[in-house]
């Protein structure tokens, strides 16, 4: 399985575990929205010049503090998986 396939096959339950590991508490609705955002925007995750798009979208949904925690999760977990 390639790294991109891993992201594509990631399940919401696994994502919720990651949120707990990174000490991110958000409501169920936001978990699903952010989960889909990550799964559908791997290009923006890997390319720093586009990551601000995801960051701005998350900021609109959460607080700045929570957004930074989610960006940390993206940078420390998802981004290394997607880089070749």
């Amino acid at each position: 399985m390639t790294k991109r396939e891993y992201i594509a096959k990631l399940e919401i339950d696994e994502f919720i575990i990651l949120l707990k590991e990174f000490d991110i508490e958000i409501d169920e609705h936001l978990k699903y929205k952010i989960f889909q955002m990550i799964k559908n925007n791997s290009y923006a995750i890997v390319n720093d010049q586009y990551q601000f798009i995801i960051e701005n979208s998350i900021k609109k949904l959460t607080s700045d503090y929570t957004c930074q925690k989610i960006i940390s999760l993206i940078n420390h977990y998802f981004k290394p998986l997607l880089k070749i």
Side-chain angles (χ1 to χ4, degrees), residues 3-31:
K3 294 174 182 180
R4 290 188 191 272
E5 288 173 331
Y6 172 77
I7 299 292
K9 292 182 180 188
L10 183 70
E11 298 290 331
I12 188 67
D13 295 336
E14 297 167 310
F15 181 66
I16 290 170
I17 291 169
L18 286 171
L19 291 174
K20 288 178 185 175
E21 288 178 10
F22 278 78
D23 194 31
I24 301 169
E25 294 184 24
I26 52 177
D27 67 42
E28 293 300 313
H29 178 70
L30 289 179
K31 287 176 187 174

Side-chain angles (χ1 to χ4, degrees), residues 50-62:
Y50 294 104
Q51 189 174 357
F52 77 92
I53 296 168
I54 290 178
E55 188 170 346
N56 286 339
S57 297
I58 293 170
K59 273 184 188 175
K60 289 178 184 177
L61 299 172
T62 67

Side-chain angles (χ1 to χ4, degrees), residues 42-78:
S42 60
Y43 184 80
I45 291 170
V46 173
N47 296 290
D48 292 332
Q49 62 268 32
Y50 294 104
Q51 189 174 357
F52 77 92
I53 296 168
I54 290 178
E55 188 170 346
N56 286 339
S57 297
I58 293 170
K59 273 184 188 175
K60 289 178 184 177
L61 299 172
T62 67
S63 68
D64 286 339
Y65 177 75
T66 301
C67 176
Q68 290 309 310
K69 290 177 87 172
I70 294 169
I71 295 301
S72 178
L73 166 64
I74 289 170
N75 287 332
H76 290 96
Y77 186 80
F78 291 103

